[in-house]
């Protein structure tokens, strides 16, 4: 069995893995954990994070969380706002620079 030690700013933990392996981790807060996400991606983990949380970002047209998610390198960024909300006034919607919902890294 192989071991990978993942060290976070708030705690340390060891994940025991066997080869071949696949791990997909969820880090819901890219603002707080963008550096941790970057480290996990560099170790070969697939990471999912969020571009928004509840309705906070949409109500405030705040793209900071989405920008941090992109910066983090997470392979999966989920959102509730691929189109603007019809429940309250907001232009907030999440898409990449070219207006698509996927970004292929070469």
């Amino acid at each position: 069995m192989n071991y990978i030690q993942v060290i976070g700013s708030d705690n340390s933990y060891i994940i025991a893995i066997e080869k071949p392996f696949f791990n997909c981790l969820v880090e819901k807060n890219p603002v707080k954990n963008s550096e941790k996400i970057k480290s996990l991606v560099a170790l070969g983990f697939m990471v999912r994070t969020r571009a928004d949380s509840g309705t906070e970002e949409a109500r405030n047209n705040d793209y900071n969380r989405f920008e941090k998610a992109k910066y983090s390198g997470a392979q999966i960024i989920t959102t509730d706002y691929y189109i603007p909300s019809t429940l309250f006034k907001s232009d907030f919607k999440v898409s990449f620079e070219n207006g698509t919902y996927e970004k292929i890294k070469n």
Side-chain angles (χ1 to χ4, degrees):
M1 193 168 282
N2 297 307
Y3 294 91
I4 295 177
Q5 183 175 12
V6 181
I7 302 172
S9 59
D10 52 352
N11 61 356
S12 295
Y13 50 95
I14 296 175
I15 301 171
I17 59 171
E18 289 186 46
K19 288 188 176 179
F21 70 96
F22 174 81
N23 274 318
C24 184
L25 303 173
V26 177
E27 280 295 335
K28 293 181 182 179
N29 190 338
V31 174
K32 180 180 171 186
N33 298 314
S34 64
E35 294 303 322
K36 180 179 180 183
I37 294 169
K38 275 181 128 29
S39 297
L40 291 167
V41 169
L43 287 170
F45 289 91
M46 179 173 276
V47 180
R48 174 199 169 265
T49 193
R50 293 209 38 95
D52 46 74
S53 176
T55 62
E56 184 177 339
E57 286 80 11
R59 289 181 187 273
N60 296 310
N61 282 320
D62 180 2
Y63 288 88
N64 183 51
R65 190 179 186 107
F66 180 46
E67 292 302 320
K68 284 289 195 176
K70 291 190 294 184
Y71 166 81
S72 75
Q75 296 93 338
I76 302 168
I77 303 172
T78 57
T79 182
D80 293 329
Y81 299 97
Y82 62 95
I83 58 173
S85 176
T86 58
L87 301 176
F88 51 86
K89 185 170 172 45
S90 175
D91 294 327
F92 184 85
K93 71 175 189 174
V94 173
S95 65
F96 288 99
E97 290 78 13
N98 57 3
T100 64
Y101 303 105
E102 64 182 3
K103 186 173 185 177
I104 300 171
K105 191 173 184 178
N106 295 329

